[in-house]
Amino acid sequence: EMVVEYVGEHVSLEEVAIRRERQVRLELQNYLIVLKETISSSRTSVENCKVILTCIDAAHLGNASRFVNHSCTPNLLPLAVRRGVKYG
């Protein structure tokens, strides 16, 4: 069952590194998430898998989802839901 959509500004992996360094330096809260998906078919070898990185910063454009699951014992799992995307 879906609890909430994690929304925010889509950024590059390079921008994630820049923002994370700034957050650590200034002791700011971190609302960055990097979701790594491996896409394959049953006929695809591991070497031919497609990897998709989705980087979202919910610090300014996010919703209440940025406060969910900040725990040493998380009780939710991230799941990518994509519409209109063809893999192959």
Side-chain angles (χ1 to χ4, degrees):
E1 182 176 332
M2 184 171 168
V3 175
V4 67
E5 178 183 9
Y6 198 89
V7 298
E9 179 184 4
H10 287 247
V11 297
S12 68
L13 192 57
E14 293 79 15
E15 184 64 23
V16 166
I18 292 166
R19 291 180 186 199
R20 184 67 185 123
E21 185 279 324
R22 179 178 179 273
Q23 290 166 344
V24 169
R25 183 171 30 86
L26 299 176
E27 298 181 5
L28 300 173
Q29 294 293 318
N30 172 16
Y31 300 110
L32 294 161
I33 185 170
V34 178
L35 183 62
K36 180 180 179 180
E37 302 170 76
T38 304
I39 310 297
S40 68
S41 68
S42 59
R43 298 175 299 202
T44 305
S45 66
V46 174
E47 296 82 24
N48 294 326
C49 291
K50 181 176 181 176
V51 176
I52 299 173
L53 289 178
T54 303
C55 308
I56 301 174
D57 185 354
H60 301 290
L61 301 175
N63 59 11
S65 65
R66 65 183 175 205
F67 303 116
V68 173
N69 226 24
H70 288 249
S71 169
C72 293
T73 55
N75 58 358
L76 298 173
L77 297 172
L79 175 65
V81 177
R82 299 191 181 274
R83 296 178 293 207
V85 178
K86 293 184 180 183
Y87 303 105

